[in-house]
Structures are given as structure tokens and as C-alpha cells.
Amino acid sequence: MITVRFHKADGTLDREVGGRPGQRLLDVAWAAGQPLEGACEGVMACSTCHVIVDKRDFAKLPPASDEEEDLLDLAAHATRNSRLACQIVLSEELDSLSVRIPPSAKNWLYG
Ligand code: FES
């Protein structure tokens, strides 16, 4: 199991959950009830799966593609450590991955 920590926009820890290698972070977030819409379900046609990755973990991720960078340019509250959750695939190296949900994320599950 790979531990993933989801933090609220204010930085406080919301959920700590387990994921499997090969699982997309977006799917882990959905299973954990996180307010990430992921409107295009991972085909990189939106930026509603935007997350802000902990600096230490960000360095472990493969670089974003040009398409992902273009979408992140459109994302509200994007930072230098922003990534799209649908493009992050869990691996053992990412154990204890910490991400923050940006302030503009709408909680579409719970209003
Ligand atoms: Fe649309 Fe990730 S779900 S870009």
C-alpha cells in the first residue's frame, strides 16, 4: 500500500488513505471523497483535477507533458508545484505522497 495524504486548501490534513501502485491519484482522490471534479475523467481536457503537490514529493514525479503544462496554465490557484491528479500514477517511490486541494475546488459530492 502506498500512503497518500490529502490536505485541505488551508493545509490541514483531511484524509490519509492507501493506494496501489499503478493507480491514478485522481481515482484515489475520488475514493477518498476529495472534492476534485475530474470533469474529463483523465483525458486532459479540463483542469478540474488540479492538486498542489508537496515540494519533496513533487521532485519525485516525472515531468509534466506539454499538454499538462498548458492545462495547468489555465488552472485557478496554480503554483510551481501544481500537477493534474489524473496524470499522477502511484508507485512505491511516492509512498507518503502529500497533496493539497486548491482553494477553488468545489466539493461536488457534499455541496
Ligand atoms: Fe480532466 Fe485531469 S480530469 S485533466
Side-chain angles (χ1 to χ4, degrees), residues 4-7 14-19 23-36 99 101 107-110:
V4 180
R5 297 188 182 102
F6 291 102
H7 296 261
D14 185 33
R15 296 278 309 270
E16 181 173 301
V17 297
Q23 217 178 357
R24 297 182 314 170
L25 181 62
L26 180 60
D27 294 312
V28 178
W30 280 344
Q34 295 298 304
L36 284 184
V99 299
I101 306 298
N107 191 333
W108 60 286
L109 283 177
Y110 306 112

Side-chain angles (χ1 to χ4, degrees), residues 13-89:
L13 180 65
D14 185 33
R15 296 278 309 270
E16 181 173 301
V17 297
R20 293 183 313 279
Q23 217 178 357
R24 297 182 314 170
L25 181 62
L26 180 60
D27 294 312
V28 178
W30 280 344
Q34 295 298 304
L36 284 184
E37 186 176 355
C40 77
E41 299 189 354
V43 298
M44 279 211 281
C46 72
S47 57
T48 59
C49 63
H50 165 216
V51 291
I52 299 162
V53 182
D54 173 84
K55 206 159 89 183
R56 187 176 45 90
D57 297 322
F58 187 84
K60 298 183 201 163
L61 296 173
S65 65
D66 289 346
E67 292 86 350
E68 183 178 351
E69 293 285 5
D70 287 348
L71 286 171
L72 285 169
D73 284 345
L74 306 173
H77 303 284
T79 74
R80 291 212 316 242
N81 296 343
S82 289
R83 292 297 298 261
L84 298 178
C86 67
Q87 300 303 306
I88 297 177
V89 177

